[in-house]
Amino acid sequence: MIISGKDLSARMKAEMAEEVKQLSEKYGRAPHLVVVLVGDDPASVSYVTGKSKASEALGIRNTTIRKDVSISEEELLGVIDDLNNDPGVDGILIQLPLPKHINSDRVIAAVRQDKDVDGFHPLNVADLQLKRPCTLPCTPMGVMLMLKEAGIDIQGKRAVVVGRSNIVGLPVAKLLLDANATVTIAHSRTKDLASVTREAEILVVAIGRPKFITADMVSEGTVVMDVGVNRDPVTGKLCGDVDFDAVAPKASVITPVPGGLGPMTITCLMRNTIDLFRRHQGE
Ligand code: NAP
């Protein structure tokens, strides 16, 4: 079964558009997402454009603040301070990566926790660890929604997450653990990775290596969630971390790239924006 993130996204967006309409009528303004973009990296510009279009389609107000790559850390912190203090702003997203002269950790920590729409703030990370209600990072949230969409009963399953980044691998592993899977986290120093991934009943891959997971690394019937977004070095087309054509026949469920977890990430960002708006209205 190929699980389309596009289809699930479309359904979630239709529901959210209705929700935003009702909330805007009730509270006299729409949820407001502000994206801060430093510099003009083409990939970042394209992600920001995608977020802006998705917001508009749902009736969410979107502001993109563009700053020159030469902006100082202090100036950027000043921009965030203003947004933190603006009661008309619900979500603040700092488009990463930031230029090297800016300390990203410091900038992320400067966003107010209740406006941290990406779920990257240290207090949100801590709340996730402590199983407290929090804003979840969007891609891990997308993985969990796709598993739900596929009707996967996670409890008791052996899950392997390949990749241990703060934004994808680690939070996905925690969410799977909280859903009572038995979780293994693999990474670039894992010995005999194939023997680890073959143990997986649920395999989540977030490493950033085109078509790295081959058919021999996956057991029959595995549920495969491919987070990777890469360019195929041969065709130049978008591809995942999983060799889709080779792995799909063995997998019971698999997500495609493109059209899998990518659309879900933006949809979850919209979800988080609406949830923060609700919180700011005292709901
Ligand atoms: P990252 O910060 O670069 O982390 C990559 C992780 O993969 C690291 O933990 C690294 O291990 C591990 N790794 C690298 N090579 C490996 C190998 N050969 N074997 C086993 N593990 C290996 O990347 P990320 O930000 O998590 O992103 C991962 C992928 O997901 C990228 O393709 C990115 O574009 C994509 N992504 C997609 C979305 C979406 O919306 N769909 C969102 C975010 C990211 P070490 O820790 O040992 O270095």
Side-chain angles (χ1 to χ4, degrees):
M1 177 171 43
I2 299 171
I3 294 287
S4 161
K6 271 192 201 159
D7 292 351
L8 177 56
S9 275
R11 286 210 312 278
M12 284 179 67
K13 281 181 181 167
E15 284 168 20
M16 285 192 283
E18 186 54 37
E19 187 181 350
V20 169
K21 193 167 161 253
Q22 288 175 9
L23 285 170
S24 305
E25 280 166 14
K26 185 172 176 190
Y27 293 110
R29 75 168 178 92
H32 185 192
L33 172 66
V34 177
V35 178
V36 181
L37 171 63
V38 179
D40 53 9
D41 169 63
S44 293
V45 172
S46 136
Y47 288 139
V48 167
T49 308
K51 288 162 189 173
S52 159
K53 279 188 185 158
S55 305
E56 277 165 25
L58 265 61
I60 291 176
R61 185 175 160 207
N62 180 281
T63 304
T64 301
I65 298 180
R66 291 193 71 158
K67 292 289 174 188
D68 192 81
V69 72
S70 65
I71 189 173
S72 71
E73 189 174 305
E74 292 313 311
E75 272 178 272
L76 184 56
L77 290 171
V79 171
I80 293 169
D81 202 37
D82 290 345
L83 296 171
N84 280 341
N85 292 321
D86 184 341
V89 172
D90 300 294
I92 304 169
L93 186 149
I94 313 296
Q95 184 64 43
L96 301 173
L98 290 170
K100 287 204 168 55
H101 66 275
I102 293 176
N103 180 335
S104 302
D105 287 344
R106 200 171 160 216
V107 170
I108 290 165
V111 174
R112 244 172 63 170
Q113 185 187 9
D114 69 342
K115 297 194 178 190
D116 170 37
V117 74
D118 254 338
F120 292 168
H121 191 285
L123 291 175
N124 273 324
V125 175
D127 282 344
L128 175 59
Q129 289 309 309
L130 297 170
K131 269 203 201 181
R132 291 180 187 146
C134 61
T135 299
L136 292 177
C138 301
T139 304
M141 186 175 165
V143 170
M144 299 309 283
L145 288 172
M146 290 282 267
L147 287 170
K148 190 172 173 207
E149 171 76 0
I152 307 300
D153 180 14
I154 299 170
Q155 173 147 307
K157 293 269 178 357
R158 283 189 305 272
V160 174
V161 179
V162 191
R164 55 176 166 180
S165 71
N166 289 334
I167 60 166
V168 189
L170 282 185
V172 165
K174 181 64 168 74
L175 291 171
L176 288 166
L177 186 63
D178 289 350
N180 295 321
T182 302
V183 183
T184 301
I185 304 174
H187 45 78
S188 69
R189 316 291 164 87
T190 298
K191 282 188 189 152
D192 193 5
L193 181 64
S195 72
V196 176
T197 53
R198 274 196 296 266
E199 286 289 307
E201 294 173 281
I202 298 171
L203 178 64
V204 182
V205 191
I207 57 177
R209 303 268 181 275
K211 299 184 176 177
F212 184 84
I213 300 292
T214 44
D216 60 307
M217 299 172 82
V218 178
S219 293
E220 286 289 337
T222 304
V223 173
V224 180
M225 299 278 123
D226 187 356
V227 179
V229 179
N230 314 291
R231 288 269 163 212
D232 185 319
V234 180
T235 63
K237 290 185 180 161
L238 274 190
C239 72
D241 290 341
V242 175
D243 185 349
F244 184 88
D245 291 340
V247 170
K250 289 182 92 175
S252 59
V253 170
I254 189 164
T255 58
V257 179
L261 287 157
M264 285 305 293
T265 297
I266 289 202
T267 301
C268 291
L269 177 70
M270 300 298 113
R271 182 69 261 159
N272 281 349
T273 306
I274 299 169
D275 288 345
L276 291 178
F277 173 82
R278 282 185 179 278
R279 204 191 306 177
H280 294 145
Q281 306 309 320
E283 287 193 3

